[in-house]
C-alpha cells in the first residue's frame, strides 16, 4: 500500500461525513480523522446539508490541516433554505468520494485512532458484511441498556436480534464496508426527516444476504444529545417497519408460533400482524397468574366473526417457536432465567422483538 501522502495513490478508504449545523462537535470530530493511525491512502468526503452555523468555515479550516497531513478532503453541499436530510447527505458524500471502502462517521461523534485500520482489516476478510464496533457513549450514563446491548451481543446475535426495538445490531456511526457491497445494497432512502434511513438500508443489506461483524474494541465515541437526527423518527414508524420485516423474514418459515407476553406489547404485536400472520399465533404465554387465569385474549377490533380468542398459557405449557415481547434487563434476570430453563436455540426456537 502506498503512503497516505502519495498524490498518485487513489484513496483506499473514504470517510463519509454528513454535516448539518454541527459546529459544536466538528473540531473534535475532524481531529479524530487527523489522528487515525492507518498509514494507507485515505480521504475525507463531507457533504454540508444547508448548515446555517459556522460548520462550513470549520470544514474549510480543517481541510487545510488534513491535506497538509496527506488526507485529501472533498467538500460538497448546498445552501438551500432547508436541509435535504441525512440519507441524501450520505449518498452525496459517497457519490463524490473515490475510496474502495467506506467508513461512516457522524459529525457529533469521535473516532479512536485505530478505527480505520482495524475495521479495514475486518472488511477485507468479510467483503459482504457491514463492519461495526463497540462504542463508548457520551454522556456515559445516557442510554445504559442500549449501550450494553450494542457492546455485548454475541456474534451470532448480530443476526438473530435484528428485529428488536434497538434497531441495527451494529449502530450506524460505526459502519464500515466496501464500496462494491454498498453499491449492491444501497443507496440510503432520501425521504428526509422522520425516515429511519439506516434501519431501511440495514434491512436491505440483510435481504441481499449480507453479514454483520463487530470489531470488539471501543472505536467510536457515540454522542447522545437532544438534537440528534434519530430523535426525529417516530416510534410508530420504526414499529411498522419492524413488524413488516418480521413477517417477511421469519414468519413464513413458521407454521405456528407463540407470543411471549400477554401484556400490552404482546397484544400490540398481535393486533399489528397481517390477518394471515395472526392466524399462526396459537397462544400467548406469560408468568402473570391473573392473565393466565383469564385464559384467553379476545381481539375485539377484529372484523372476523367470531372474534379471535387466543389462549394465554404459562410459559412452561407453551410450545416454541416464540416471538418474545419482553424487554431485556428489566425483570432482574427472572425472564432470562425462565428462557434459559427451556434450553431453546435463539433464531430457531425464539427471537426477540421488544
Amino acid at each position: 500500500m502506498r503512503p497516505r501522502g502519495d498524490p498518485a495513490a487513489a484513496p483506499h478508504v473514504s470517510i463519509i461525513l454528513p454535516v448539518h449545523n454541527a459546529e459544536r462537535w466538528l473540531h473534535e470530530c475532524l481531529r479524530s480523522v487527523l489522528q487515525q493511525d492507518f498509514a494507507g491512502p485515505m480521504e475525507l468526503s463531507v457533504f454540508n446539508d444547508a448548515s446555517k452555523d459556522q460548520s462550513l468555515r470549520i470544514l474549510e479550516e480543517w481541510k487545510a490541516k488534513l491535506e497538509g497531513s496527506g488526507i485529501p478532503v472533498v467538500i460538497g453541499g448546498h445552501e438551500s433554505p432547508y436541509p435535504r436530510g441525512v440519507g441524501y447527505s450520505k449518498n452525496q458524500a459517497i457519490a463524490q468520494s473515490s475510496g474502495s471502502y467506506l467508513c461512516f462517521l457522524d459529525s457529533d461523534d469521535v473516532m479512536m485512532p485505530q478505527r480505520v485500520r482495524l475495521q479495514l482489516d475486518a472488511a477485507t476478510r468479510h467483503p459482504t458484511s457491514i463492519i461495526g464496533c463497540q462504542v463508548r457513549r457520551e454522556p456515559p450514563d445516557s442510554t445504559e441498556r442500549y449501550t450494553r446491548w450494542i457492546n455485548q451481543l454475541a456474534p451470532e446475535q448480530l443476526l438473530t436480534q435484528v428485529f428488536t426495538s434497538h434497531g441495527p445490531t451494529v449502530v450506524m456511526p460505526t459502519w464500515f464496508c466496501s464500496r462494491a457491497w454498498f453499491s449492491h445494497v444501497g443507496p440510503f432512502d432520501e425521504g428526509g426527516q422522520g425516515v429511519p434511513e439506516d434501519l431501511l438500508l440495514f434491512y436491505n443489506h440483510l435481504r441481499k444476504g449480507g453479514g454483520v461483524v463487530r470489531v470488539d474494541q471501543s472505536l467510536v465515541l457515540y454522542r447522545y444529545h437532544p438534537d440528534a437526527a434519530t430523535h426525529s423518527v417516530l416510534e410508530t414508524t420504526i414499529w411498522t417497519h419492524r413488524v413488516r420485516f418480521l413477517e417477511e423474514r421469519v414468519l413464513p418459515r413458521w407454521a405456528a408460533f407463540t407470543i411471549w407476553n400477554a401484556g400490552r406489547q404482546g397484544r400490540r404485536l398481535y393486533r399489528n400482524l397481517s390477518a394471515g400472520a395472526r392466524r399462526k399465533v396459537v397462544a400467548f404465554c406469560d408468568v402473570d397468574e391473573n392473565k393466565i387465569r383469564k385464559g384467553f385474549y379476545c381481539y375485539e377490533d377484529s372484523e372476523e366473526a367470531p372474534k379471535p380468542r387466543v389462549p394465554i398459557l404459562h410459559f412452561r405449557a407453551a410450545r416454541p417457536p416464540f416471538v418474545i415481547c419482553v424487554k431485556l434487563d428489566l425483570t432482574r434476570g427472572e425472564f432470562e432465567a425462565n428462557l434459559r430453563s427451556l434450553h431453546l436455540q435463539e433464531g430457531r426456537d425464539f427471537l426477540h422483538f421488544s
Side-chain angles (χ1 to χ4, degrees):
M1 188 176 291
R2 285 173 283 190
R4 181 192 291 168
D6 183 351
H12 194 54
V13 176
S14 295
I15 297 174
I16 304 302
L17 180 62
V19 171
H20 174 67
N21 291 346
E23 64 180 7
R24 288 170 55 191
W25 309 286
L26 260 182
H27 284 293
E28 195 176 358
C29 175
L30 294 169
R31 186 175 296 111
S32 75
V33 175
L34 182 63
Q35 293 174 342
Q36 289 301 294
D37 65 14
F38 173 60
M42 180 173 71
E43 72 174 353
L44 174 66
S45 179
V46 185
F47 191 82
N48 179 34
D49 189 18
S51 293
K52 301 298 186 285
D53 62 359
Q54 295 299 309
S55 291
L56 185 57
R57 180 189 63 77
I58 295 169
L59 290 169
E60 294 290 354
E61 175 187 328
W62 273 93
K63 177 179 169 71
K65 294 180 184 178
L66 290 162
E67 293 192 334
S69 295
I71 304 173
V73 178
V74 183
I75 300 176
H78 67 98
E79 298 179 356
S80 59
Y82 303 104
R84 293 283 301 274
V86 180
Y88 175 80
S89 299
K90 289 174 185 169
N91 287 337
Q92 292 299 309
I94 292 166
Q96 71 189 16
S97 70
S98 54
S100 303
Y101 291 88
L102 307 176
C103 174
F104 292 91
L105 177 64
D106 283 356
S107 58
D108 51 357
D109 295 332
V110 177
M111 300 192 291
M112 300 303 106
Q114 67 273 36
R115 181 193 174 186
V116 169
R117 174 172 54 83
L118 293 179
Q119 289 194 297
L120 175 60
D121 178 65
T124 56
R125 288 182 284 111
H126 302 278
T128 61
S129 290
I130 289 178
I131 312 299
C133 64
Q134 294 177 330
V135 302
R136 179 160 61 89
R137 200 65 153 138
E138 180 64 33
D141 59 351
S142 52
T143 56
E144 291 180 276
R145 288 182 60 248
Y146 180 47
T147 305
R148 208 162 39 240
W149 182 80
I150 293 169
N151 290 336
Q152 295 181 6
L153 285 173
E156 61 275 10
Q157 290 178 316
L158 296 174
L159 287 175
T160 60
Q161 294 208 8
V162 297
F163 304 97
T164 74
S165 59
H166 290 314
T169 48
V170 288
V171 294
M172 173 63 208
T174 75
W175 286 9
F176 193 111
C177 66
S178 74
R179 177 183 296 275
W181 183 251
F182 178 84
S183 298
H184 179 63
V185 171
F188 288 100
D189 187 289
E190 297 186 358
Q193 190 175 38
V195 173
E197 77 285 336
D198 301 343
L199 181 66
L200 295 179
L201 189 130
F202 188 70
Y203 283 169
N204 204 35
H205 163 75
L206 296 173
R207 289 184 182 104
K208 298 285 180 76
V212 187
V213 174
R214 186 185 64 216
V215 175
D216 283 336
Q217 291 190 39
S218 181
L219 302 179
V220 173
L221 177 70
Y222 182 26
R223 210 181 302 270
Y224 178 87
H225 59 89
D227 298 327
T230 186
H231 297 312
S232 70
V233 183
L234 296 176
E235 186 274 340
T236 52
T237 299
I238 294 175
W239 173 274
T240 299
H241 286 300
R242 289 169 57 218
V243 173
R244 297 288 83 84
F245 194 61
L246 174 71
E247 291 197 353
E248 172 193 332
R249 299 286 292 180
V250 177
L251 299 190
R253 305 198 312 260
W254 292 350
F257 66 97
T258 300
I259 296 177
W260 192 316
N261 186 356
R264 184 172 62 87
Q265 284 291 90
R267 296 194 304 268
R268 181 188 183 192
L269 172 61
Y270 177 81
R271 292 192 301 268
N272 281 267
L273 292 172
S274 66
R278 277 199 304 271
R279 286 192 286 271
K280 292 186 175 185
V281 179
V282 293
F284 291 90
C285 71
D286 213 295
V287 295
D288 187 319
E289 292 297 337
N290 291 328
K291 294 187 181 82
I292 296 167
R293 192 176 301 116
K294 181 179 178 181
F296 65 90
Y297 165 68
C298 181
Y299 181 26
E300 297 290 354
D301 292 334
S302 173
E303 296 180 357
E304 297 179 56
K307 296 186 185 300
R309 291 161 63 101
V310 183
I312 301 175
L313 310 173
H314 189 275
F315 77 91
R316 292 198 183 281
R319 299 184 64 180
F322 299 100
V323 175
I324 294 173
C325 293
V326 178
K327 289 192 178 294
L328 304 180
D329 292 349
L330 291 182
T331 63
R332 299 182 179 179
E334 289 183 26
F335 164 72
E336 288 80 0
N338 289 337
L339 183 59
R340 284 195 301 272
S341 72
L342 298 181
H343 305 291
L344 303 174
Q345 179 180 322
E346 187 167 358
R348 185 194 67 188
D349 300 317
F350 73 92
L351 61 84
H352 293 280
F353 189 78
S354 287

